mmCIF file of all heavy atoms in Angstrom:
data_model
loop_
_atom_site.group_PDB
_atom_site.id
_atom_site.type_symbol
_atom_site.label_atom_id
_atom_site.label_comp_id
_atom_site.label_asym_id
_atom_site.label_seq_id
_atom_site.Cartn_x
_atom_site.Cartn_y
_atom_site.Cartn_z
ATOM 1 N N LYS A 15 -1.571 31.200 -23.992
ATOM 2 C CA LYS A 15 -0.457 30.339 -23.635
ATOM 3 C C LYS A 15 -0.389 29.246 -24.742
ATOM 4 O O LYS A 15 -1.052 28.295 -24.714
ATOM 5 C CB LYS A 15 -0.708 29.683 -22.377
ATOM 6 C CG LYS A 15 -0.798 30.707 -21.216
ATOM 7 C CD LYS A 15 -0.919 30.077 -19.859
ATOM 8 C CE LYS A 15 -0.822 31.118 -18.724
ATOM 9 N NZ LYS A 15 -1.902 32.210 -18.899
ATOM 10 N N PRO A 16 0.533 29.356 -25.697
ATOM 11 C CA PRO A 16 0.763 28.342 -26.760
ATOM 12 C C PRO A 16 1.046 27.037 -26.138
ATOM 13 O O PRO A 16 0.827 26.007 -26.791
ATOM 14 C CB PRO A 16 1.927 28.957 -27.564
ATOM 15 C CG PRO A 16 1.849 30.498 -27.300
ATOM 16 C CD PRO A 16 1.388 30.557 -25.830
ATOM 17 N N ILE A 17 1.577 26.983 -24.873
ATOM 18 C CA ILE A 17 2.070 25.708 -24.392
ATOM 19 C C ILE A 17 0.913 24.762 -24.217
ATOM 20 O O ILE A 17 0.960 23.469 -24.093
ATOM 21 C CB ILE A 17 2.770 25.913 -23.058
ATOM 22 C CG1 ILE A 17 3.629 24.693 -22.604
ATOM 23 C CG2 ILE A 17 1.880 26.261 -21.956
ATOM 24 C CD1 ILE A 17 4.805 24.394 -23.512
ATOM 25 N N LEU A 18 -0.321 25.338 -24.168
ATOM 26 C CA LEU A 18 -1.475 24.457 -24.034
ATOM 27 C C LEU A 18 -1.643 23.478 -25.107
ATOM 28 O O LEU A 18 -2.128 22.376 -24.897
ATOM 29 C CB LEU A 18 -2.854 25.396 -23.838
ATOM 30 C CG LEU A 18 -3.135 26.022 -22.422
ATOM 31 C CD1 LEU A 18 -4.264 26.954 -22.826
ATOM 32 C CD2 LEU A 18 -3.473 24.962 -21.485
ATOM 33 N N LEU A 19 -1.226 23.771 -26.355
ATOM 34 C CA LEU A 19 -1.403 22.921 -27.408
ATOM 35 C C LEU A 19 -0.663 21.702 -27.221
ATOM 36 O O LEU A 19 -1.076 20.505 -27.529
ATOM 37 C CB LEU A 19 -0.918 23.629 -28.652
ATOM 38 C CG LEU A 19 -1.744 24.856 -29.068
ATOM 39 C CD1 LEU A 19 -1.164 25.430 -30.397
ATOM 40 C CD2 LEU A 19 -3.146 24.533 -29.299
ATOM 41 N N LEU A 20 0.511 21.694 -26.490
ATOM 42 C CA LEU A 20 1.225 20.484 -26.308
ATOM 43 C C LEU A 20 0.598 19.625 -25.230
ATOM 44 O O LEU A 20 0.455 18.357 -25.361
ATOM 45 C CB LEU A 20 2.622 20.822 -25.691
ATOM 46 C CG LEU A 20 3.559 21.679 -26.633
ATOM 47 C CD1 LEU A 20 4.779 22.094 -25.891
ATOM 48 C CD2 LEU A 20 3.844 20.814 -27.895
ATOM 49 N N MET A 21 0.010 20.244 -24.196
ATOM 50 C CA MET A 21 -0.770 19.563 -23.250
ATOM 51 C C MET A 21 -2.010 18.939 -23.912
ATOM 52 O O MET A 21 -2.379 17.707 -23.606
ATOM 53 C CB MET A 21 -1.103 20.413 -22.147
ATOM 54 C CG MET A 21 -1.947 19.898 -20.852
ATOM 55 S SD MET A 21 -3.647 19.758 -21.260
ATOM 56 C CE MET A 21 -3.954 21.464 -21.687
ATOM 57 N N LEU A 22 -2.762 19.616 -24.673
ATOM 58 C CA LEU A 22 -3.885 19.200 -25.396
ATOM 59 C C LEU A 22 -3.715 17.878 -26.205
ATOM 60 O O LEU A 22 -4.442 16.973 -26.032
ATOM 61 C CB LEU A 22 -4.650 20.312 -26.128
ATOM 62 C CG LEU A 22 -5.017 21.409 -25.352
ATOM 63 C CD1 LEU A 22 -5.469 22.571 -26.305
ATOM 64 C CD2 LEU A 22 -6.124 21.036 -24.406
ATOM 65 N N ALA A 23 -2.650 17.931 -26.913
ATOM 66 C CA ALA A 23 -2.254 16.781 -27.733
ATOM 67 C C ALA A 23 -2.031 15.497 -26.914
ATOM 68 O O ALA A 23 -2.532 14.371 -27.156
ATOM 69 C CB ALA A 23 -1.019 17.028 -28.630
ATOM 70 N N ALA A 24 -1.448 15.762 -25.642
ATOM 71 C CA ALA A 24 -1.181 14.608 -24.816
ATOM 72 C C ALA A 24 -2.489 14.137 -24.214
ATOM 73 O O ALA A 24 -2.732 12.961 -24.055
ATOM 74 C CB ALA A 24 -0.205 15.039 -23.598
ATOM 75 N N LEU A 25 -3.400 15.030 -23.858
ATOM 76 C CA LEU A 25 -4.624 14.636 -23.133
ATOM 77 C C LEU A 25 -5.490 13.683 -24.150
ATOM 78 O O LEU A 25 -5.969 12.747 -23.950
ATOM 79 C CB LEU A 25 -5.420 15.772 -22.783
ATOM 80 C CG LEU A 25 -4.985 16.566 -21.550
ATOM 81 C CD1 LEU A 25 -5.825 17.762 -21.297
ATOM 82 C CD2 LEU A 25 -5.153 15.570 -20.383
ATOM 83 N N VAL A 26 -5.529 14.225 -25.456
ATOM 84 C CA VAL A 26 -6.257 13.496 -26.379
ATOM 85 C C VAL A 26 -5.708 12.209 -26.712
ATOM 86 O O VAL A 26 -6.361 11.189 -26.803
ATOM 87 C CB VAL A 26 -6.516 14.415 -27.632
ATOM 88 C CG1 VAL A 26 -7.226 13.491 -28.677
ATOM 89 C CG2 VAL A 26 -7.362 15.558 -27.339
ATOM 90 N N ALA A 27 -4.387 12.154 -26.930
ATOM 91 C CA ALA A 27 -3.693 10.965 -27.310
ATOM 92 C C ALA A 27 -3.688 9.851 -26.217
ATOM 93 O O ALA A 27 -3.575 8.642 -26.454
ATOM 94 C CB ALA A 27 -2.263 11.275 -27.735
ATOM 95 N N SER A 28 -3.765 10.442 -24.883
ATOM 96 C CA SER A 28 -3.613 9.489 -23.829
ATOM 97 C C SER A 28 -4.639 8.318 -23.835
ATOM 98 O O SER A 28 -4.299 7.227 -23.233
ATOM 99 C CB SER A 28 -3.697 10.300 -22.591
ATOM 100 O OG SER A 28 -4.990 10.700 -22.297
ATOM 101 N N ILE A 29 -5.875 8.684 -24.303
ATOM 102 C CA ILE A 29 -6.880 7.564 -24.158
ATOM 103 C C ILE A 29 -6.623 6.441 -25.046
ATOM 104 O O ILE A 29 -7.101 5.351 -24.891
ATOM 105 C CB ILE A 29 -8.255 8.195 -24.545
ATOM 106 C CG1 ILE A 29 -9.386 7.356 -23.997
ATOM 107 C CG2 ILE A 29 -8.386 8.467 -26.024
ATOM 108 C CD1 ILE A 29 -9.446 7.117 -22.629
ATOM 109 N N ALA A 30 -5.749 6.691 -25.996
ATOM 110 C CA ALA A 30 -5.332 5.531 -26.986
ATOM 111 C C ALA A 30 -4.248 4.594 -26.473
ATOM 112 O O ALA A 30 -4.028 3.632 -27.014
ATOM 113 C CB ALA A 30 -5.015 6.024 -28.278
ATOM 114 N N THR A 31 -3.678 4.956 -25.320
ATOM 115 C CA THR A 31 -2.476 4.337 -24.769
ATOM 116 C C THR A 31 -2.989 2.925 -24.282
ATOM 117 O O THR A 31 -4.019 2.752 -23.644
ATOM 118 C CB THR A 31 -1.923 5.045 -23.619
ATOM 119 O OG1 THR A 31 -1.462 6.326 -24.019
ATOM 120 C CG2 THR A 31 -0.711 4.383 -23.025
ATOM 121 N N VAL A 32 -2.276 1.827 -24.641
ATOM 122 C CA VAL A 32 -2.634 0.576 -24.290
ATOM 123 C C VAL A 32 -1.762 0.130 -23.069
ATOM 124 O O VAL A 32 -0.617 0.275 -22.989
ATOM 125 C CB VAL A 32 -2.239 -0.397 -25.410
ATOM 126 C CG1 VAL A 32 -2.517 -1.971 -24.930
ATOM 127 C CG2 VAL A 32 -2.986 -0.111 -26.700
ATOM 128 N N LEU A 33 -2.595 -0.195 -22.040
ATOM 129 C CA LEU A 33 -1.968 -0.609 -20.775
ATOM 130 C C LEU A 33 -2.191 -2.142 -20.496
ATOM 131 O O LEU A 33 -3.112 -2.745 -20.968
ATOM 132 C CB LEU A 33 -2.779 0.144 -19.553
ATOM 133 C CG LEU A 33 -2.757 1.748 -19.699
ATOM 134 C CD1 LEU A 33 -3.492 2.177 -18.520
ATOM 135 C CD2 LEU A 33 -1.349 2.262 -19.829
ATOM 136 N N ARG A 34 -1.138 -2.551 -19.774
ATOM 137 C CA ARG A 34 -1.304 -4.072 -19.411
ATOM 138 C C ARG A 34 -1.440 -4.110 -17.949
ATOM 139 O O ARG A 34 -0.430 -3.992 -17.176
ATOM 140 C CB ARG A 34 -0.037 -4.692 -19.878
ATOM 141 C CG ARG A 34 -0.009 -6.308 -19.647
ATOM 142 C CD ARG A 34 1.039 -6.913 -20.441
ATOM 143 N NE ARG A 34 2.414 -6.548 -20.104
ATOM 144 C CZ ARG A 34 3.196 -6.993 -19.078
ATOM 145 N NH1 ARG A 34 2.607 -7.968 -18.323
ATOM 146 N NH2 ARG A 34 4.260 -6.496 -18.823
ATOM 147 N N ALA A 35 -2.633 -4.477 -17.527
ATOM 148 C CA ALA A 35 -2.924 -4.341 -16.069
ATOM 149 C C ALA A 35 -2.895 -5.819 -15.568
ATOM 150 O O ALA A 35 -3.107 -6.766 -16.244
ATOM 151 C CB ALA A 35 -4.231 -3.809 -15.811
ATOM 152 N N GLU A 36 -2.463 -5.947 -14.379
ATOM 153 C CA GLU A 36 -2.369 -7.311 -13.708
ATOM 154 C C GLU A 36 -3.059 -7.134 -12.304
ATOM 155 O O GLU A 36 -3.580 -6.168 -11.926
ATOM 156 C CB GLU A 36 -0.902 -7.568 -13.367
ATOM 157 C CG GLU A 36 0.024 -7.691 -14.691
ATOM 158 C CD GLU A 36 1.375 -7.818 -14.348
ATOM 159 O OE1 GLU A 36 1.815 -7.760 -13.195
ATOM 160 O OE2 GLU A 36 2.238 -8.088 -15.395
ATOM 161 N N ASN A 37 -3.241 -8.357 -11.692
ATOM 162 C CA ASN A 37 -3.942 -8.349 -10.473
ATOM 163 C C ASN A 37 -3.158 -7.530 -9.359
ATOM 164 O O ASN A 37 -1.989 -7.415 -9.327
ATOM 165 C CB ASN A 37 -3.973 -9.831 -9.890
ATOM 166 C CG ASN A 37 -4.875 -10.641 -10.824
ATOM 167 O OD1 ASN A 37 -5.872 -10.030 -11.427
ATOM 168 N ND2 ASN A 37 -4.690 -11.898 -11.049
ATOM 169 N N GLY A 38 -3.834 -7.135 -8.450
ATOM 170 C CA GLY A 38 -3.266 -6.284 -7.313
ATOM 171 C C GLY A 38 -3.168 -4.822 -7.546
ATOM 172 O O GLY A 38 -3.467 -4.366 -8.693
ATOM 173 N N ARG A 39 -3.089 -4.020 -6.499
ATOM 174 C CA ARG A 39 -2.997 -2.619 -6.545
ATOM 175 C C ARG A 39 -1.732 -1.973 -5.881
ATOM 176 O O ARG A 39 -1.226 -2.772 -5.076
ATOM 177 C CB ARG A 39 -4.157 -2.034 -5.878
ATOM 178 C CG ARG A 39 -5.488 -2.447 -6.374
ATOM 179 C CD ARG A 39 -5.754 -1.696 -7.647
ATOM 180 N NE ARG A 39 -7.013 -2.303 -8.281
ATOM 181 C CZ ARG A 39 -8.103 -1.546 -8.661
ATOM 182 N NH1 ARG A 39 -7.983 -0.190 -8.483
ATOM 183 N NH2 ARG A 39 -9.073 -2.002 -9.210
ATOM 184 N N GLY A 40 -1.288 -1.028 -6.378
ATOM 185 C CA GLY A 40 0.043 -0.472 -5.951
ATOM 186 C C GLY A 40 -0.058 0.963 -5.778
ATOM 187 O O GLY A 40 -1.191 1.704 -6.090
ATOM 188 N N THR A 41 0.975 1.779 -5.431
ATOM 189 C CA THR A 41 1.096 3.226 -5.287
ATOM 190 C C THR A 41 2.126 3.826 -6.192
ATOM 191 O O THR A 41 3.236 3.278 -6.331
ATOM 192 C CB THR A 41 1.266 3.506 -3.810
ATOM 193 O OG1 THR A 41 0.186 3.036 -3.005
ATOM 194 C CG2 THR A 41 1.290 5.166 -3.521
ATOM 195 N N ILE A 42 1.875 4.867 -6.812
ATOM 196 C CA ILE A 42 2.875 5.676 -7.589
ATOM 197 C C ILE A 42 3.063 7.010 -6.767
ATOM 198 O O ILE A 42 2.080 7.723 -6.598
ATOM 199 C CB ILE A 42 2.495 5.911 -8.964
ATOM 200 C CG1 ILE A 42 2.141 4.603 -9.711
ATOM 201 C CG2 ILE A 42 3.501 6.702 -9.720
ATOM 202 C CD1 ILE A 42 1.609 4.867 -11.160
ATOM 203 N N SER A 43 4.213 7.368 -6.508
ATOM 204 C CA SER A 43 4.601 8.476 -5.763
ATOM 205 C C SER A 43 5.745 9.221 -6.485
ATOM 206 O O SER A 43 6.585 8.476 -7.094
ATOM 207 C CB SER A 43 4.863 8.302 -4.335
ATOM 208 O OG SER A 43 3.782 7.874 -3.580
ATOM 209 N N GLY A 44 5.869 10.586 -6.294
ATOM 210 C CA GLY A 44 6.996 11.194 -6.791
ATOM 211 C C GLY A 44 7.005 12.659 -6.497
ATOM 212 O O GLY A 44 6.164 13.146 -5.820
ATOM 213 N N THR A 45 7.875 13.415 -7.293
ATOM 214 C CA THR A 45 8.071 14.801 -7.219
ATOM 215 C C THR A 45 8.134 15.541 -8.455
ATOM 216 O O THR A 45 8.859 14.928 -9.420
ATOM 217 C CB THR A 45 9.231 15.153 -6.243
ATOM 218 O OG1 THR A 45 9.072 14.650 -4.985
ATOM 219 C CG2 THR A 45 9.321 16.784 -6.084
ATOM 220 N N VAL A 46 7.625 16.709 -8.706
ATOM 221 C CA VAL A 46 7.706 17.480 -9.983
ATOM 222 C C VAL A 46 8.639 18.659 -9.544
ATOM 223 O O VAL A 46 8.237 19.367 -8.676
ATOM 224 C CB VAL A 46 6.388 17.772 -10.552
ATOM 225 C CG1 VAL A 46 6.456 18.715 -11.821
ATOM 226 C CG2 VAL A 46 5.594 16.604 -10.730
ATOM 227 N N ARG A 47 9.602 18.921 -10.443
ATOM 228 C CA ARG A 47 10.606 19.922 -10.182
ATOM 229 C C ARG A 47 10.918 20.689 -11.607
ATOM 230 O O ARG A 47 11.012 20.178 -12.542
ATOM 231 C CB ARG A 47 11.846 19.315 -9.585
ATOM 232 C CG ARG A 47 12.890 20.335 -8.944
ATOM 233 C CD ARG A 47 14.067 19.548 -8.484
ATOM 234 N NE ARG A 47 13.733 18.474 -7.520
ATOM 235 C CZ ARG A 47 13.573 18.654 -6.195
ATOM 236 N NH1 ARG A 47 13.584 19.814 -5.678
ATOM 237 N NH2 ARG A 47 13.257 17.601 -5.518
ATOM 238 N N LEU A 48 11.284 21.921 -11.342
ATOM 239 C CA LEU A 48 11.846 22.712 -12.350
ATOM 240 C C LEU A 48 13.287 22.804 -12.343
ATOM 241 O O LEU A 48 13.844 23.193 -11.318
ATOM 242 C CB LEU A 48 11.086 24.117 -12.378
ATOM 243 C CG LEU A 48 11.648 25.149 -13.353
ATOM 244 C CD1 LEU A 48 11.373 24.643 -14.863
ATOM 245 C CD2 LEU A 48 11.131 26.550 -13.158
ATOM 246 N N VAL A 49 14.045 22.553 -13.482
ATOM 247 C CA VAL A 49 15.367 22.719 -13.534
ATOM 248 C C VAL A 49 15.729 23.919 -14.378
ATOM 249 O O VAL A 49 15.206 23.914 -15.568
ATOM 250 C CB VAL A 49 16.075 21.558 -14.116
ATOM 251 C CG1 VAL A 49 17.641 21.601 -14.315
ATOM 252 C CG2 VAL A 49 15.843 20.232 -13.112
ATOM 253 N N GLY A 50 16.547 24.821 -14.019
ATOM 254 C CA GLY A 50 16.872 25.972 -14.734
ATOM 255 C C GLY A 50 16.110 27.233 -14.185
ATOM 256 O O GLY A 50 15.290 27.102 -13.434
ATOM 257 N N PRO A 51 16.375 28.347 -14.768
ATOM 258 C CA PRO A 51 15.634 29.633 -14.294
ATOM 259 C C PRO A 51 14.240 29.510 -14.617
ATOM 260 O O PRO A 51 13.789 29.068 -15.756
ATOM 261 C CB PRO A 51 16.381 30.772 -15.144
ATOM 262 C CG PRO A 51 17.072 30.045 -16.199
ATOM 263 C CD PRO A 51 17.348 28.689 -15.836
ATOM 264 N N PRO A 52 13.377 29.942 -13.790
ATOM 265 C CA PRO A 52 11.908 30.076 -14.001
ATOM 266 C C PRO A 52 11.626 30.975 -15.140
ATOM 267 O O PRO A 52 12.220 32.011 -15.283
ATOM 268 C CB PRO A 52 11.269 30.414 -12.645
ATOM 269 C CG PRO A 52 12.407 31.068 -11.904
ATOM 270 C CD PRO A 52 13.616 30.490 -12.392
#
């Protein structure tokens, strides 16, 4: 599956992302959907 290469780049690059955290905790919710023919 060549598509793995895209995912792998994201996984490795993600650790370098700079986040700005603040006090308190929250929740992230959502849905993942496919648009177009599978």
Side-chain angles (χ1 to χ4, degrees):
K15 298 180 175 62
I17 199 69
L18 277 173
L19 297 178
L20 298 176
M21 179 278 303
L22 296 172
L25 282 176
V26 173
S28 67
I29 197 65
T31 303
V32 178
L33 305 179
R34 184 163 61 86
E36 300 172 351
N37 294 329
R39 300 287 173 126
T41 298
I42 303 175
S43 299
T45 303
V46 179
R47 190 182 309 275
L48 174 65
V49 177

